[in-house]
Amino acid sequence: MQDAFTPTSLLVTGGAGFIGSNFINHFMAGNPGCRVINLDLLTYAGNLKNLAAVEENPDYRFVKGDICDAGLVAGLLAEGEVDAVVHFAAESHVDRSITGPDIFVRTNVLGTQTLLEASRLHAERVAGFRFLQVSTDEVYGSLGAQGYFTEETPLAPNSPYSASKAGADLLVRAYSETFGLATLNTRCSNNYGPYHFPEKLIPLMIHNILKKKPLPVYGDGLNVRDWLHVKDHSVAIERVLKLGKPGEIFNVGGNNEWKNIDIVNLVCDLMDERLGRRPGESRGLIAFVKDRKGHDRRYAIDASKLKRELSWEPSYTFERGIAETIDWYLANQGWVEEVVSGAYREYYEKQYGQH
Ligand code: NAD
Ligand code: TYD
């Protein structure tokens, strides 16, 4: 294990999104005195309400802006005397990448390269500077019924989203190999928890069950995902940032594989209990719809390197995490209603209207 790196000033990108905001809330609670600049463009997926807990903190600063704006990024790194970048900003939804891939290449590839280039120049003046790229297991492609992705698994992305993330990861590698930039790269499985945008499977199902709307399950519903609570992901990122050896990749996963249909059934049953509906009632809303194009069959991640080298373990059981997540959505209907109004309605009609 490396000697611990103690950041004094972080630039977090995409910190108003699902994982970025959970990370900032977690990190600032545990690292008083470390300054955090949150650079976020506030696309449809960004929401400052996620950050109510830190907005009054004098060490926190929000900047609305684009990671593709090289001048802005360079200015923030210099002014903020930043000694680490934690890079979350991305277009993150696979279905949107199928209907409109361009923005995924711009934000995920060009945006990452812009940050890397500014970081390379900045690092010449700041000893110990680190760049942490937050990525996904989807860069490894799809598994059959057996096996796990390790850090050595060749990249074989299948969707425009995962291809753009793989492109970004390879640029991170190139900046480490060519320029000696101290980079770290995490690749995590599917996250769930509070502030998850309701276009993604779990919050979409919670929302539709509540509204008694159809529950669209793609294909045969037997695709498998590994689910990790977003707070466990946040802890993993903090640990890699502080203790990871530069140049390394760390897989992050929950060892918690679920077939989509089983997770939808579980969410239905937990919701029925909470809403006082008759057992099985919400399962009646399930509608098998046309499959996603290029739908990856199974993701499963071997996170043993992170466990072995950095002593990380998930703290949430799925039973507790999913129950708390459902309760969070039920208690925060105002947040959901705001998010699903406006532009998201149009997306929803386009994505599910024809099914
Ligand atoms: P999200 O879509 O909820 O949030 C993305 C954030 O990035 C938003 O706040 C958005 O406003 C911001 N953003 C988008 N374009 C920007 C730009 N050009 N400049 C500045 N900000 C911009 O995404 P998420 O689910 O929180 O994912 C965060 C990161 O974690 C992504 O890099 C994603 O690839 C990765 N990841 C996600 C998961 C998951 O399950 N959600 C799993 C593994 C890895
Ligand atoms: P998603 O939450 O979009 O995450 P990812 O595609 O990054 O894994 O989808 C999780 C799984 O759920 C995936 O196999 C696709 C499936 N899915 C549905 O069956 N119906 C839906 O409406 C959505 C959004 C996803």
Side-chain angles (χ1 to χ4, degrees):
M1 208 185 285
Q2 287 274 115
D3 286 347
F5 161 72
T6 312
T8 57
S9 180
L10 287 191
L11 175 65
V12 175
T13 71
F18 164 48
I19 306 179
S21 61
N22 274 285
F23 173 78
I24 290 178
N25 288 325
H26 159 79
F27 185 87
M28 293 201 80
N31 294 271
C34 179
R35 285 169 286 139
V36 173
I37 302 170
N38 176 9
L39 172 62
D40 194 299
L41 190 58
L42 297 181
T43 67
Y44 79 94
N47 189 342
L48 291 177
K49 298 248 163 78
N50 305 2
L51 294 149
V54 296
E55 67 189 3
E56 301 293 327
N57 186 327
D59 289 325
Y60 172 75
R61 180 180 163 206
F62 175 74
V63 177
K64 181 172 189 277
D66 191 340
I67 56 166
C68 296
D69 182 341
L72 173 66
V73 171
L76 291 176
L77 290 172
E79 276 163 45
E81 297 169 338
V82 167
D83 54 10
V85 170
V86 184
H87 176 34
F88 294 94
E91 288 295 329
S92 69
H93 193 41
V94 174
D95 291 323
R96 288 182 191 254
S97 83
I98 295 167
T99 48
D102 308 27
I103 185 75
F104 284 74
V105 176
R106 181 188 182 275
T107 301
N108 299 359
V109 183
L110 194 59
T112 303
Q113 192 270 332
T114 307
L115 288 170
L116 285 165
E117 184 59 18
S119 296
R120 172 176 85 81
L121 296 171
H122 180 71
E124 287 172 5
R125 281 174 280 114
V126 179
F129 176 89
R130 291 180 161 212
F131 184 101
L132 191 153
Q133 157 80 351
V134 179
S135 191
T136 165
D137 59 358
E138 301 188 27
V139 297
Y140 297 120
S142 182
L143 291 165
Q146 304 295 321
Y148 295 89
F149 299 131
T150 73
E151 289 83 357
E152 276 74 47
T153 303
L155 302 191
N158 294 316
S159 71
Y161 163 66
S162 54
S164 68
K165 291 296 291 186
D169 286 10
L170 291 175
L171 284 164
V172 169
R173 176 188 158 90
Y175 270 74
S176 165
E177 294 291 325
T178 304
F179 302 113
L181 186 68
T183 64
L184 294 147
N185 192 345
T186 55
R187 293 181 179 149
C188 189
S189 58
N190 288 57
N191 285 212
Y192 70 98
Y195 306 121
H196 204 182
F197 197 89
E199 67 190 350
K200 305 284 197 324
L201 180 75
I202 290 178
L204 185 132
M205 295 301 160
I206 295 172
H207 182 68
N208 285 14
I209 291 167
L210 200 57
K211 301 283 177 200
K212 298 195 173 178
K213 284 171 66 174
L215 309 178
V217 174
Y218 298 161
D220 60 9
L222 301 179
N223 301 65
V224 173
R225 297 292 181 267
D226 169 52
W227 293 94
L228 180 72
H229 196 281
V230 64
K231 288 189 183 152
D232 284 323
H233 188 192
S234 298
V235 172
I237 291 168
E238 180 179 5
R239 203 153 289 184
V240 171
L241 177 69
K242 291 179 171 175
L243 300 170
K245 185 166 159 247
E248 296 279 315
I249 296 166
F250 290 91
N251 282 351
V252 188
N255 202 16
N256 176 41
E257 288 180 51
W258 284 80
K259 292 187 185 85
N260 291 339
I261 187 64
D262 291 342
I263 231 167
V264 173
N265 280 331
L266 174 69
V267 174
C268 283
D269 295 349
L270 292 171
M271 291 282 289
D272 283 346
E273 272 170 40
R274 282 160 177 72
L275 298 172
R277 292 185 188 164
R278 122 186 103 64
E281 190 174 334
S282 296
R283 289 187 184 209
L285 296 168
I286 292 172
F288 288 91
V289 299
K290 195 163 145 242
D291 208 356
R292 173 186 278 174
K293 288 188 179 129
H295 196 175
D296 286 338
R297 194 61 171 168
R298 174 171 169 259
Y299 302 144
I301 202 141
D302 177 346
S304 57
K305 177 179 174 185
L306 180 63
K307 293 181 181 177
R308 192 176 58 248
E309 295 187 6
L310 305 187
S311 307
W312 173 85
E313 282 292 337
S315 67
Y316 278 81
T317 60
F318 190 62
E319 197 183 10
R320 171 184 158 212
I322 194 73
E324 282 187 19
T325 300
I326 290 173
D327 291 337
W328 185 88
Y329 277 90
L330 291 175
N332 289 276
Q333 274 304 296
W335 182 91
V336 181
E337 288 305 332
E338 199 169 297
V339 161
V340 300
S341 63
Y344 178 66
R345 277 205 198 151
E346 278 171 41
Y347 164 80
Y348 194 89
E349 274 308 306
K350 239 170 113 185
Q351 177 68 15
Y352 299 103
Q354 74 273 28
H355 289 314

